[in-house]
Amino acid sequence: MLMALEQGVKGGKWFSLIDKVYRLTTLYVAFARVKANQGAAGVDHQSIEMFEQHLEANLERLATELRENSYRPQALRRVWISKPGSREKRPLGIPTVRDRVVQTAMRVVLEPIFERIFAAHSYGFRPERGCKDALRQVNYLLKQGYHWVVDADLRNYFDTIPFGPLLARVKEQVADGALLALLEAYLHQGVLESMRYWEPEAGTPQGAVISPLLSNIYLNPLDHLLATQGIEMVRYADDCAPRARRAAMVQACVTA
């Protein structure tokens, strides 16, 4: 896969990826990341510590289910958290630990493929990039003489991404039917909130491991379009915005 990333793949699409997802070495890496991120239990009430008590058996079971196409994600547990600097609350969908492991394994496999085509001015939810990098770029642009500023925020972005166009963006790079079906199952994953169960009609849930990558995939065409129009943009995640405003920085810089 590393060689293919350097030399390209036939037809520009990846046809065999699900076997990389259910490989035990990938699942062990995925669990290590899930454990490092901590997080609460999902609808099955199984904590990370409980999952780890039988780690080898749990990961082998996941590998078998993914290989045999019998794996099905469980419902998300809905909780509401406060938004920084606001009285509003943000909905979080908490997957089970086993679902977080599989989603992380998917991200491990998919992220390098899409990192090759992401725009340079995209900083949100990307490896080796973050809020400070975005602010440094904003500061650099201001010093270069970009003094007209547009500060834009996409309201409820994660919850409003349409399923069809999002999957179409993924299919531009990925042609593995099993992986695409698994991804679609996550998009249609049910939500359990105060004993009420429902299925979303759009969006990718905040709190799901795969959602940040999907959010960047969907916005990637916009990133490149603005770049071709000569617009200098710095795009980052919501959690950077309060700090940016306190520092009198901006989310997007445009020419006069």
Side-chain angles (χ1 to χ4, degrees):
M1 186 171 179
L2 290 173
M3 185 180 298
L5 285 169
E6 294 177 0
Q7 300 178 2
V9 289
K10 186 176 180 181
K13 290 192 177 185
W14 294 76
F15 287 87
S16 181
L17 291 174
I18 192 66
D19 60 312
K20 281 79 172 174
V21 173
Y22 64 64
R23 188 173 294 168
L24 275 175
T25 50
T26 308
L27 293 175
Y28 271 103
V29 168
F31 174 76
R33 294 189 183 183
V34 170
K35 182 180 178 180
N37 289 332
Q38 292 301 308
V43 295
D44 62 354
H45 305 292
Q46 185 179 48
S47 67
I48 294 174
E49 292 74 20
M50 294 166 64
F51 188 91
E52 190 175 21
Q53 288 176 3
H54 306 284
L55 182 60
E56 183 176 357
N58 284 330
L59 295 184
E60 288 180 351
R61 185 179 302 112
L62 280 178
T64 299
E65 291 179 6
L66 289 166
R67 185 171 57 251
E68 296 178 351
N69 196 31
S70 60
Y71 168 84
R72 298 293 182 271
Q74 295 175 274
L76 298 165
R77 182 168 67 87
R78 169 58 56 85
V79 298
W80 294 82
I81 62 171
S82 299
K83 296 179 68 173
S86 172
R87 294 183 178 180
E88 296 182 17
K89 290 187 177 293
R90 172 180 298 170
L92 272 188
I94 301 178
T96 62
V97 175
R98 71 193 300 269
D99 288 342
R100 298 209 294 272
V101 170
V102 176
Q103 286 191 24
T104 303
M106 289 177 61
R107 185 168 180 172
V108 166
V109 172
L110 288 175
E111 196 164 55
I113 295 172
F114 287 94
E115 274 293 317
R116 295 164 57 249
I117 64 172
F118 283 159
H121 57 247
S122 168
Y123 291 89
F125 308 118
R126 293 185 61 187
E128 308 301 327
R129 289 177 168 229
C131 179
K132 291 182 179 179
D133 301 303
L135 296 182
R136 288 191 190 99
Q137 179 63 12
V138 169
N139 190 47
Y140 168 78
L141 290 171
L142 292 173
K143 289 179 178 179
Q144 293 301 305
Y146 292 88
H147 55 276
W148 285 94
V149 171
V150 175
D151 183 4
D153 182 24
L154 297 177
R155 185 175 178 84
N156 297 328
Y157 171 57
F158 275 67
D159 297 330
T160 56
I161 300 175
F163 292 151
L166 172 59
L167 287 170
R169 297 280 181 266
V170 177
K171 290 177 182 178
E172 290 173 1
Q173 301 293 321
V174 176
D176 185 315
L179 189 142
L180 290 170
L182 181 58
L183 180 58
E184 188 165 7
Y186 280 125
L187 292 177
H188 292 279
Q189 198 171 2
V191 178
L192 186 62
E193 180 178 8
S194 300
M195 302 305 294
R196 183 174 68 93
Y197 177 86
W198 54 277
E199 293 186 2
E201 297 180 356
T204 178
Q206 298 184 59
V209 180
I210 199 69
S211 291
L213 175 60
L214 296 178
S215 72
N216 279 330
I217 291 173
Y218 187 68
L219 278 182
N220 190 50
L222 173 64
D223 290 339
H224 288 286
L225 175 63
L226 292 177
T228 62
Q229 300 298 313
I231 298 174
E232 290 287 353
M233 181 172 73
V234 179
R235 183 169 67 78
Y236 48 77
D238 280 351
D239 60 352
C240 189
R243 282 173 286 178
R245 288 167 185 153
R246 284 197 300 268
M249 292 299 183
V250 295
Q251 192 165 356
C253 296
V254 298
T255 56

